[in-house]
Amino acid sequence: MEATKSFTEDGITILDGGLATELPKIGFNIDNDPLWSARILMNSPSSIKEVHKRYLEAGSDVLITSSYQTSVPSLIKFGNCSREEALGYIKLSVTVAKDACEEFWRGNTCKEDLSGFKKALRRFPLVAGSVGPYGACQHDCSEYSGKYVDSMSLEELIEWHRPRMVALVEAGVDLLAIETIPALKEALALCDLLKSFPSTKAWISFSCKDEQTLCHGEKFTEAVSSLSSFDQVFGVGINCTKPEYIEPLLRGLQKERIAEDKVKVVYPNSGESWDKGSWLESDSPKKLCHYASSWIDSGGKWIGGCCRTSPDDIRSLRESLKS
């Protein structure tokens, strides 16, 4: 199967939504855990699979693995495991997602799935291996600024990311989701690392602090332009960013005709923000589905949600795009 091919007849592919922010709904308190969803991956992988399946039933075409906040050093330090065990947990995130896809597919072979779309309109879901930023594994909120890149070399960033990417590829992901990247330097390091896996495709999505700028301060248009020459990067975009910023960010690419051969991938958060150990409500009550048509008009093709979005959001998103 070609990982880069859009799933639906109108060319739109539906991603999943927030994973770690769904886990408290089934009884887990992980908001201040340095391993975040990786703690549940270690202790209750069946719960991760349950959330994956909820997204598939809601209409997701792509599952993103629970490896966002996993790294060998953090799993060893906070999970009290060996290097070999840490790599095994990263691979487990792929196995759990693949099992969810298989079970969903078998259970919906001859009936409409819960999103109301007949099986004929669905293709077997893809599994995207999540590669989160260095800062996400430091438990110091540095992923929100990306300032760590100022004191790290490209080589240091590459070598820090290498073990997880190796494990995800060896476990058989369909593609990589290089996501929530706050700084261009880290994205370029990951593009260089990607060359070590020539048959692997990836999307790279940045986190942005406003309608023009990455969290670290680079212009979004310039950052995306810098990735244009990397053939393995089939998609570029934005995630874990306020939904109201998505359209102007995409319009900027359109206006300057940047990365026209790349799929535009967007999956913002709910608009809420994380501050001092708790979520602050969004000023806007609008849901993802209310923005979706404007994102498509602006070039978006692979669309979903990030933190604090839910299966209900994905169901409404898919229904709005098919109405």
Side-chain angles (χ1 to χ4, degrees), residues 13 29-30 35 75 82 94 101 108-109 114 142 154 159 170 174:
T13 294
N29 181 13
I30 58 170
L35 290 179
L75 287 167
S82 67
V94 180
C101 292
N108 289 277
T109 300
L114 297 183
S142 59
L154 282 173
E159 291 310 310
E170 287 182 350
D174 296 302

Side-chain angles (χ1 to χ4, degrees), residues 70-77 81-83 86-87 90 160 163-164:
T70 61
S71 71
V72 170
S74 61
L75 287 167
I76 291 173
K77 180 177 180 180
C81 59
S82 67
R83 177 181 174 82
L87 291 170
I90 294 170
W160 185 87
R164 174 172 53 185

Side-chain angles (χ1 to χ4, degrees), residues 16-19 21-22 25 55 268-272 288 304-314:
D16 58 9
L19 190 150
T21 51
E22 277 296 290
K25 296 179 182 179
Y55 279 113
N269 56 37
S270 65
E272 297 167 88
L288 296 184
C306 198
C307 291
R308 302 286 278 185
T309 62
S310 69
D312 284 343
D313 290 312
I314 297 305

Side-chain angles (χ1 to χ4, degrees), residues 190-264:
L190 284 156
C191 285
D192 282 344
L193 176 57
L194 192 59
K195 294 176 185 177
S196 301
F197 315 95
S199 63
T200 301
K201 298 286 188 180
W203 79 65
I204 295 184
S205 54
F206 292 101
S207 55
C208 296
K209 61 183 179 181
D210 56 34
E211 298 176 348
Q212 299 183 24
T213 316
L214 306 192
C215 288
H216 184 253
E218 300 90 338
K219 291 295 184 184
F220 175 69
T221 51
E222 294 174 5
V224 171
S225 180
S226 298
L227 305 183
S228 296
S229 63
F230 292 95
D231 293 338
Q232 288 175 259
V233 178
F234 79 90
V236 291
I238 315 109
N239 81 290
C240 213
T241 294
K242 289 187 175 183
E244 57 263 36
Y245 296 159
I246 301 298
E247 182 182 358
L249 287 162
L250 290 176
R251 292 289 185 196
L253 299 181
Q254 278 188 329
K255 181 179 179 181
E256 299 187 34
R257 304 191 67 177
I258 292 171
E260 291 184 302
D261 61 334
K262 307 289 189 188
V263 172
K264 303 308 181 297

